[in-house]
Coordinates of all heavy atoms in Angstrom, one line a residue:
D154 N 98.4 45.2 21.0 CA 97.8 46.2 21.9 C 98.7 46.8 22.9 O 98.7 48.0 23.2 CB 96.5 45.6 22.5 CG 95.4 45.2 21.6 OD1 95.4 45.8 20.5 OD2 94.7 44.3 21.8
S160 N 103.7 52.8 23.3 CA 104.2 53.9 22.3 C 103.4 55.1 22.5 O 104.0 56.3 22.5 CB 104.2 53.3 21.0 OG 105.1 52.2 20.8
R173 N 109.4 71.7 22.1 CA 109.6 71.7 20.6 C 109.9 70.3 20.1 O 111.0 70.1 19.7 CB 110.5 72.6 20.2 CG 110.1 74.2 20.5 CD 111.1 75.2 20.1 NE 111.1 75.2 18.5 CZ 110.3 76.0 17.9 NH1 109.4 76.7 18.4 NH2 110.5 76.0 16.6
K182 N 109.1 52.0 6.7 CA 108.0 51.2 7.4 C 107.9 51.6 8.9 O 106.9 51.8 9.4 CB 108.1 49.7 7.4 CG 109.4 49.2 8.0 CD 109.6 47.7 7.8 CE 110.7 47.1 8.6 NZ 112.0 47.7 8.5
I185 N 106.5 55.2 9.3 CA 105.1 55.1 8.9 C 104.3 54.6 10.1 O 103.2 55.0 10.3 CB 104.9 54.2 7.7 CG1 105.6 54.9 6.5 CG2 103.5 53.9 7.4 CD1 105.6 53.9 5.3
M187 N 105.2 55.0 13.2 CA 105.3 56.0 14.1 C 104.3 57.2 13.8 O 103.6 57.7 14.8 CB 106.7 56.7 14.1 CG 107.8 55.8 14.5 SD 108.2 56.1 16.3 CE 109.0 57.7 16.1
V207 N 115.8 63.9 7.0 CA 117.2 64.1 6.6 C 117.5 63.5 5.3 O 117.7 62.1 5.2 CB 118.2 63.7 7.6 CG1 119.7 64.1 7.3 CG2 117.8 64.3 9.0
E218 N 108.6 59.9 -3.1 CA 107.3 60.2 -3.7 C 106.1 59.8 -2.6 O 105.3 60.6 -2.4 CB 106.9 59.4 -5.0 CG 105.6 59.7 -5.6 CD 104.4 58.9 -4.9 OE1 104.7 57.7 -4.4 OE2 103.5 59.4 -4.9
R222 N 103.7 62.5 -0.6 CA 102.2 62.2 -0.6 C 101.6 62.0 0.8 O 100.5 62.5 1.2 CB 102.0 61.0 -1.5 CG 100.5 60.7 -1.6 CD 100.3 59.9 -2.8 NE 101.1 58.7 -2.9 CZ 100.8 57.6 -2.2 NH1 99.8 57.5 -1.5 NH2 101.6 56.5 -2.2
T261 N 125.6 65.9 10.2 CA 125.6 67.3 10.3 C 124.4 68.1 9.9 O 123.9 69.0 10.7 CB 126.8 67.8 9.4 OG1 128.0 67.4 9.8 CG2 126.9 69.5 9.3
G278 N 112.5 56.2 14.8 CA 111.9 54.9 14.6 C 112.8 53.7 14.9 O 112.5 52.5 14.6
E284 N 119.9 46.3 15.8 CA 121.3 46.3 15.8 C 121.9 46.6 17.2 O 121.2 47.1 18.0 CB 121.8 47.5 14.9 CG 123.3 47.6 14.5 CD 124.1 48.3 15.5 OE1 123.6 48.9 16.3 OE2 125.4 47.9 15.4
A288 N 120.4 48.6 20.6 CA 119.9 48.0 21.7 C 120.3 48.6 23.1 O 119.7 48.4 24.1 CB 120.3 46.5 21.7
I319 N 116.5 68.5 30.9 CA 117.6 69.0 30.1 C 117.9 70.5 30.3 O 116.9 71.1 30.8 CB 117.5 68.7 28.6 CG1 116.2 69.4 28.0 CG2 117.5 67.3 28.3 CD1 116.1 69.4 26.5
R326 N 116.7 62.1 22.2 CA 116.1 61.3 21.1 C 115.1 60.4 21.8 O 115.5 59.8 22.9 CB 117.2 60.5 20.4 CG 118.4 61.4 19.8 CD 118.0 62.1 18.7 NE 119.0 63.1 18.2 CZ 120.0 62.7 17.5 NH1 120.1 61.5 17.0 NH2 121.0 63.6 17.1
F328 N 112.5 57.0 21.3 CA 112.3 55.8 20.6 C 111.0 55.0 21.1 O 111.2 54.1 21.8 CB 113.6 55.0 20.5 CG 114.8 55.7 20.2 CD1 115.8 56.1 21.0 CD2 115.0 56.1 18.9 CE1 117.0 56.7 20.7 CE2 116.2 56.7 18.5 CZ 117.2 57.0 19.3
N332 N 110.7 48.6 22.0 CA 110.6 47.2 22.3 C 109.8 46.4 21.3 O 109.3 45.3 21.4 CB 109.7 47.3 23.6 CG 110.4 47.8 24.7 OD1 111.6 47.6 24.9 ND2 109.8 48.5 25.8
L336 N 109.1 42.0 13.1 CA 107.8 41.2 12.9 C 106.5 41.9 13.4 O 105.5 41.9 12.9 CB 108.0 39.8 13.5 CG 106.7 38.8 13.1 CD1 106.5 38.7 11.6 CD2 107.0 37.4 13.7
E348 N 99.5 51.8 4.3 CA 100.3 51.8 2.9 C 101.8 52.0 3.1 O 102.3 52.6 4.0 CB 99.8 52.9 2.0 CG 100.3 52.9 0.6 CD 99.9 54.0 -0.2 OE1 99.1 54.9 0.3 OE2 100.4 54.3 -1.3
P350 N 105.7 52.1 0.8 CA 106.3 52.3 -0.5 C 106.4 51.0 -1.2 O 106.8 50.0 -0.6 CB 107.6 52.9 -0.3 CG 107.5 53.6 1.1 CD 106.5 52.7 1.9
A355 N 108.1 42.4 -3.5 CA 108.9 41.8 -4.4 C 108.6 42.5 -5.9 O 107.4 42.7 -6.3 CB 108.6 40.4 -4.7
F361 N 123.3 44.9 -8.7 CA 124.6 44.4 -8.8 C 125.2 43.8 -7.5 O 124.6 44.3 -6.5 CB 125.7 45.2 -9.4 CG 126.1 46.4 -8.6 CD1 127.2 46.4 -7.9 CD2 125.2 47.6 -8.7 CE1 127.6 47.5 -7.1 CE2 125.6 48.7 -7.8 CZ 126.7 48.6 -7.0
D364 N 130.1 42.4 -2.0 CA 130.3 41.9 -0.6 C 129.1 41.1 -0.2 O 128.7 41.3 0.9 CB 130.6 43.1 0.3 CG 131.9 43.8 -0.2 OD1 132.8 43.1 -0.7 OD2 132.0 45.0 0.3
F374 N 123.3 55.7 -7.9 CA 123.9 56.2 -6.7 C 125.0 55.4 -5.9 O 125.8 55.8 -5.2 CB 122.8 56.5 -5.6 CG 121.8 57.6 -6.0 CD1 120.5 57.4 -5.7 CD2 122.1 58.7 -6.7 CE1 119.6 58.4 -6.0 CE2 121.2 59.6 -7.1 CZ 120.0 59.4 -6.8
E383 N 125.7 44.5 -13.8 CA 124.3 44.5 -13.3 C 123.4 43.4 -13.9 O 123.8 43.0 -15.1 CB 123.6 45.9 -13.6 CG 123.4 46.2 -15.1 CD 122.7 47.5 -15.3 OE1 123.4 48.6 -15.1 OE2 121.5 47.4 -15.6
R420 N 116.6 34.2 9.8 CA 117.4 34.0 10.9 C 118.4 35.3 11.0 O 119.4 35.3 11.8 CB 118.2 32.8 11.0 CG 117.3 31.5 10.8 CD 116.6 31.3 12.0 NE 117.4 30.8 13.1 CZ 116.8 30.6 14.3 NH1 115.5 30.7 14.6 NH2 117.6 30.2 15.3
I421 N 118.3 36.3 10.0 CA 119.2 37.4 9.8 C 118.6 38.7 10.1 O 117.4 38.7 9.6 CB 119.8 37.3 8.4 CG1 120.4 36.0 8.1 CG2 120.9 38.4 8.3 CD1 121.0 35.9 6.7
D431 N 126.9 49.5 8.0 CA 127.1 48.8 9.2 C 128.2 47.7 9.3 O 128.6 47.1 10.2 CB 125.8 48.1 9.7 CG 124.7 49.1 10.0 OD1 125.1 50.3 10.3 OD2 123.6 48.7 10.3
G445 N 126.2 61.7 16.7 CA 124.9 62.4 16.6 C 124.0 61.7 15.6 O 123.0 62.3 15.4

Side-chain angles (χ1 to χ4, degrees):
D154 290 333
S160 299
R173 299 180 67 86
K182 65 184 187 309
I185 290 167
M187 292 267 287
V207 183
E218 184 279 329
R222 180 164 53 82
T261 297
E284 196 276 338
I319 59 172
R326 305 287 172 84
F328 303 107
N332 294 327
L336 187 58
E348 182 185 357
F361 67 96
D364 301 332
F374 296 142
E383 68 175 76
R420 309 290 290 179
I421 307 174
D431 290 348

